[in-house]
Amino acid sequence: MNQLTSSLPNSSFDISSLKIPSNIILADPKFYEPSQIDMLIGSDLFWDIIGSEQQSLGPGCPRLHSSKLGWLIGGPVPLYSKETNNNVKCNTVFTNFAQGNDDPYTKMSRFWELEEIPSKVHLNDSEQACERHFVQHTRRLSNGRFCVRLPLFKSPDCLGDSHTMAKKRFYNLEKRFKRQPEVKSQYIAFIREYAELGHLSEVTLDSPTLNLCYYLPHHPVFKENSESTKIRVVFDASARTSSGVSVNDIQMVGPQIQDSLFSILVRARLYKYILTADIEKMYRQVVIDESDRNLQLILWREDEREPLKTLRLNTITYGFASASYLSTSCLWQLGEECEDPLTKTILQHDLYVDDLITGCNDEYELKCIQQSVSEALKAGCFNLRKYKSNSLLVLQSCSSSSSDKLVLSESASALGLGWDSATDCLFYSFDMPPSTQKITKRFILSTSFKIFDPLGFVSPCIIIPKLIMQQLWLDKVD
């Protein structure tokens, strides 16, 4: 703060009546004259500075207290004048930012502003550089789709050989395919769809542009509760090259520009009618500039008898350090382009990654919100799908299924936080393990983390298995 308080004391006063001993050296020799406060000393230092001696200057007078800075003086001061009798003068301290502004209403409003949680996010140098990079290197294609560049803070020259590591990891993946042929068939279908949508393309090794490149190892993860894709291929952009540096090591992560999941869920509880949806393949709707695509290469073949092929990923890749920032910044930009203030607010504050969680108290207004948000996202080639709502009117307009129980978010887990509109209660989905399940430390750990609790309502329950884990380690149970 430029100024801690107004001048203290409020006005000067006569100290001739105070009998201060001549051998006393005051910490503030001119304590009776108004002046600015230079520094606040916290309680962690105060008790080291304060001394143990005290002296009284008489009834109704201030007291002297020793300190390492000199003698401190404080307490009531007798005032003598022709108009007033002996009385006590009190100082009221206001937080005052405006120099020379003595309006008490202004001072009080400044005080309340000081007490508020700051709304402005302060970005560090790296985050500011990432935002400038996005603004300078982002463009729109003829169909409205965003084209971005990877926010690199180092040249790819520092990357070593990644082909050998990626080939070894792919051979291990093929061994798994032999043991699990159903995984292989789903994996092939996933890669084929990737290619059919234009999200990857084959490249030849003799291309001169492949001097600076990065090969991504990849493996499958499964989400049995998913309504769309049961298998997802995860690309490991943190895998280190022969130089010890990965492609994630040279990327700026960027700031978090969307609201926290906690605030979005709490805000959703204010509405009578809720609308949830998600953006289809959000990351892959944003194109990566061709100059950066050589940092997104993978090895692939459907049959072991075929030679390995090099495929280049053309869109934002899940697993890249900057992926979340780049995609959510595109959504934020779509909000900036909206003429409707409500649609802009929803795009910028009611989306958590690719999940839309919004609502209102009127069904017809919610129907308009669904249509306007969907159209605004389509302008950037983002398709909103899997609508859920407790409003039949809205569900009929977007051809989705009705449900009294809505999963508000599955952002962090297959088991999401839900809301029962009939009883107006939040609920948690959890599958009880079979009674025959062998209880191991790994099982306890994985089970306790399966409960998705972004609002912290069931923390007293979730903490118990974590305490059990701690005790098992202390007891050295195998």
Side-chain angles (χ1 to χ4, degrees):
M1 295 181 290
N2 295 327
Q3 182 176 343
L4 298 176
T5 72
S6 58
S7 296
L8 290 178
N10 289 342
S11 60
S12 59
F13 53 88
D14 184 12
I15 63 167
S16 59
S17 62
L18 298 178
K19 298 178 181 180
I20 301 176
S22 58
N23 64 331
I24 293 295
I25 300 176
L26 295 175
D28 183 8
K30 295 185 178 181
F31 67 93
Y32 49 87
E33 294 181 358
S35 61
Q36 296 296 320
I37 301 299
D38 299 315
M39 178 173 61
L40 292 180
I41 298 177
S43 60
D44 54 338
L45 294 179
F46 174 78
W47 299 109
D48 292 331
I49 293 173
I50 199 73
S52 59
E53 296 182 62
Q54 288 191 34
Q55 290 189 33
S56 174
L57 299 181
C61 293
R63 300 177 68 87
L64 296 171
H65 204 121
S66 64
S67 80
K68 291 181 180 180
L69 304 176
W71 286 84
L72 309 176
I73 185 168
V77 178
L79 300 180
Y80 299 97
S81 70
K82 295 180 181 179
E83 292 80 16
T84 62
N85 295 321
N86 186 19
N87 60 72
V88 177
K89 180 178 179 66
C90 298
N91 290 332
T92 302
V93 179
F94 286 92
T95 300
N96 182 15
F97 293 101
Q99 292 280 355
N101 190 343
D102 295 326
D103 178 10
Y105 295 100
T106 303
K107 290 179 178 180
M108 285 305 297
S109 66
R110 296 285 186 182
F111 176 75
W112 301 132
E113 290 172 10
L114 177 65
E115 292 296 303
E116 289 181 356
I117 298 175
S119 58
K120 184 178 180 181
V121 177
H122 298 281
L123 305 181
N124 59 37
D125 293 342
S126 174
E127 291 171 337
Q128 291 177 11
C130 193
E131 291 213 320
R132 288 194 297 269
H133 184 279
F134 179 83
V135 172
Q136 294 169 5
H137 297 96
T138 300
R139 56 191 173 91
R140 300 287 285 276
L141 305 181
S142 58
N143 59 356
R145 193 180 301 276
F146 285 88
C147 180
V148 300
R149 292 203 60 183
L150 295 176
L152 306 178
F153 65 87
K154 275 187 180 180
S155 170
D157 293 345
C158 63
L159 296 174
D161 171 40
S162 57
H163 185 271
T164 303
M165 169 266 303
K167 184 165 63 174
K168 182 179 179 180
R169 296 268 293 267
F170 183 75
Y171 288 157
N172 290 335
L173 180 64
E174 285 189 320
K175 291 179 182 177
R176 180 177 178 180
F177 287 163
K178 288 181 178 180
R179 299 192 307 268
Q180 300 174 308
E182 71 283 356
V183 172
K184 180 179 180 180
S185 60
Q186 293 182 55
Y187 213 100
I188 290 173
F190 186 94
I191 297 294
R192 285 179 178 176
E193 182 200 45
Y194 223 106
E196 290 167 1
L197 295 173
H199 297 166
L200 63 77
S201 52
E202 186 175 353
V203 293
T204 55
L205 287 174
D206 56 355
S207 173
T209 60
L210 288 179
N211 295 329
L212 298 175
C213 60
Y214 182 84
Y215 285 84
L216 290 158
H218 48 93
H219 63 274
V221 294
F222 295 91
K223 191 176 181 182
E224 297 298 333
N225 293 15
S226 174
E227 297 177 18
S228 51
T229 308
K230 302 295 183 183
I231 187 176
R232 175 179 293 176
V233 176
V234 175
F235 302 96
D236 185 5
S238 296
R240 301 193 183 279
T241 63
S242 59
S243 66
V245 180
S246 72
V247 72
N248 272 350
D249 293 333
I250 62 174
Q251 291 182 61
M252 292 181 281
V253 178
Q256 180 179 338
I257 60 175
Q258 292 181 322
D259 288 10
S260 68
L261 180 58
F262 178 89
S263 60
I264 294 174
L265 290 174
V266 170
R267 191 161 56 241
R269 292 289 294 116
L270 298 175
Y271 308 127
K272 182 177 180 180
Y273 299 103
I274 299 286
L275 175 67
T276 68
D278 72 33
I279 300 172
E280 183 180 12
K281 297 178 176 63
M282 183 183 75
Y283 284 9
R284 287 160 55 185
Q285 305 309 325
V286 182
V287 173
I288 292 291
D289 190 85
E290 286 194 26
S291 58
D292 289 334
R293 293 182 189 175
N294 287 338
L295 298 177
Q296 302 189 153
L297 303 179
I298 65 170
L299 297 174
W300 176 249
R301 63 184 176 189
E302 293 187 4
D303 194 308
E304 290 186 26
R305 293 167 293 185
E306 300 175 354
L308 285 175
K309 295 185 292 186
T310 298
L311 306 180
R312 182 161 52 195
L313 307 182
N314 303 326
T315 60
I316 288 179
T317 300
Y318 185 80
F320 270 57
S322 60
S324 179
Y325 169 75
L326 291 174
S327 55
T328 54
S329 291
C330 294
L331 298 179
W332 184 275
Q333 181 58 34
L334 286 177
E336 287 294 311
E337 297 172 5
C338 285
E339 297 181 358
D340 178 34
L342 179 58
T343 304
K344 175 182 177 180
T345 299
I346 292 173
L347 287 179
Q348 295 184 342
H349 297 286
D350 287 353
L351 278 166
Y352 185 74
V353 191
D354 59 348
D355 284 342
L356 172 69
I357 307 171
T358 189
C360 66
N361 295 322
D362 182 86
E363 286 189 274
Y364 291 96
E365 182 182 357
L366 188 61
K367 180 181 177 181
C368 293
I369 287 174
Q370 180 269 322
Q371 294 172 344
S372 63
V373 171
S374 177
E375 289 300 318
L377 289 172
K378 282 182 181 178
C381 296
F382 295 103
N383 179 43
L384 208 56
R385 61 172 185 173
K386 294 198 289 189
Y387 292 99
K388 295 184 178 68
S389 178
N390 59 325
S391 167
L392 291 176
L393 180 67
V394 172
L395 290 173
Q396 290 169 358
S397 68
C398 54
S399 302
S400 188
S401 59
S402 173
S403 174
D404 286 336
K405 292 188 176 183
L406 306 180
V407 175
L408 294 181
S409 180
E410 295 181 347
S411 298
S413 172
L415 303 174
L417 173 67
W419 174 58
D420 189 335
S421 61
T423 60
D424 192 26
C425 290
L426 294 171
F427 67 88
Y428 295 81
S429 300
F430 181 69
D431 294 330
M432 288 297 292
S435 58
T436 56
Q437 173 68 46
K438 184 179 180 181
I439 307 300
T440 63
K441 287 188 292 187
R442 182 182 297 275
F443 172 78
I444 296 174
L445 187 65
S446 64
T447 304
S448 62
F449 278 97
K450 282 181 179 178
I451 302 175
F452 182 45
D453 183 30
L455 297 178
F457 287 145
V458 293
S459 294
C461 300
I462 298 176
I463 195 67
I464 294 174
K466 295 179 181 179
L467 290 172
I468 293 173
M469 284 294 295
Q470 186 180 51
Q471 192 60 48
L472 289 173
W473 242 261
L474 291 173
D475 293 341
K476 298 182 180 180
V477 176
D478 62 13

